Amino acid sequence: MVRSTPAPGHVIVQDNRTGKVSYWQEEYHQSAGDARGISTADYIHAMYAFLRQAKCKDVLMIGCGGGTLATMLHKSGVAVTIVDIHKLSFDIAHNYFQLPADVPCHVSDGIAYLKKHRSRHDAIVLDAFGEGGMPEKFKTPAFFALAKSRLKSRRALFLMNVIVEDDDDSTPDNLVRAMRKQWSQVRLLDTDGWVERNAVIAAGAVTKLKNRAC
């Protein structure tokens, strides 16, 4: 194992035998991938499957992590744009997780980017976590309304990664209720019985989606 620290509080662990890489920011596990930059996380594969089933051709990602979802989509011919408030995230994705150099990367706050750029996308993926978890501003009705306004009017998806502490954590259910004020169809993909787990909330054109990843 090789351990690197690209910045204080950021740790990269590489397995020289398998090529697998893990990225930690403080206590948050930001990303994990193989030698090709393909994610080893079930929730990333679930989101990838949803985006491919929906035939999304233009995806905006808010939050980079290791960029594995963007790498997977790019390899499938999907146009991906990533927004992250920290340039370091892009450096880590390029240097350790094989994020292709031609994926557009913008150093910006996600909400500020959406307000400035009025183009519409087939899908928006929110996967933004820092030292304090996901910023509260990404859990508000105002943000969901803004995100919906930047989606195409038909067959568009909004996907959100949520950290669930345990089975008593009401966060995902609260977010689903808030999102239903903007989208008539919202689905929660979660697995009971695990602590500090990832759950995926999907809104928009979700009725025909099937979970084939986990």
Side-chain angles (χ1 to χ4, degrees):
M1 293 287 183
V2 177
R3 188 181 179 94
S4 306
T5 306
H10 299 259
V11 176
I12 307 295
V13 179
Q14 297 172 283
D15 188 331
N16 287 339
R17 296 171 302 169
T18 65
K20 290 183 179 180
V21 183
S22 290
Y23 166 32
W24 295 83
Q25 182 181 2
E26 300 295 347
E27 74 272 24
Y28 292 99
H29 192 199
Q30 290 280 9
S31 197
D34 65 16
R36 301 171 297 157
I38 305 301
S39 179
T40 57
D42 286 345
Y43 83 94
I44 292 290
H45 284 270
M47 291 197 291
Y48 174 81
F50 286 164
L51 294 166
R52 297 298 287 147
Q53 287 176 55
K55 296 180 171 56
C56 296
K57 298 179 180 179
D58 172 22
V59 177
L60 174 67
M61 293 177 52
I62 299 175
C64 180
T68 52
L69 179 58
T71 296
M72 293 162 63
L73 291 169
H74 182 273
K75 289 178 181 291
S76 298
V78 178
V80 189
T81 300
I82 314 176
V83 177
D84 197 291
I85 199 167
H86 298 295
K87 179 181 180 297
L88 176 63
S89 296
F90 299 129
D91 293 340
I92 289 173
H94 286 126
N95 294 335
Y96 297 97
F97 288 93
Q98 316 304 318
L99 178 68
D102 55 344
V103 171
C105 297
H106 299 271
V107 180
S108 175
D109 172 78
I111 292 176
Y113 182 90
L114 289 176
K115 289 180 176 179
K116 181 178 180 180
H117 298 83
R118 304 188 65 85
S119 56
R120 291 175 177 256
H121 307 273
D122 294 322
I124 295 175
V125 178
L126 175 64
D127 191 3
F129 292 87
E131 294 181 7
M134 177 176 286
E136 291 299 318
K137 62 186 178 182
F138 290 129
K139 305 176 185 178
T140 65
F143 170 72
F144 295 138
L146 176 61
K148 186 179 181 182
S149 73
R150 299 299 184 261
L151 288 170
K152 294 177 181 177
S153 58
R154 299 183 61 189
R155 296 187 295 277
L157 284 179
F158 176 80
L159 301 179
M160 182 178 189
N161 173 36
V162 182
I163 302 297
V164 185
E165 292 184 3
D166 52 38
D167 291 348
D168 295 325
D169 187 353
S170 62
T171 298
D173 294 323
N174 293 338
L175 289 170
V176 166
R177 282 192 290 271
M179 291 166 66
R180 281 181 175 150
K181 295 179 181 179
Q182 295 296 329
W183 292 277
S184 59
Q185 298 292 328
V186 182
R187 290 175 57 185
L188 171 63
L189 177 63
D190 193 10
T191 303
D192 292 341
W194 296 86
V195 298
E196 296 296 331
R197 62 185 184 257
N198 295 93
V200 176
I201 304 176
V206 301
T207 54
K208 297 182 179 180
L209 298 182
K210 297 180 180 179
N211 175 31
R212 299 169 179 169
C214 53

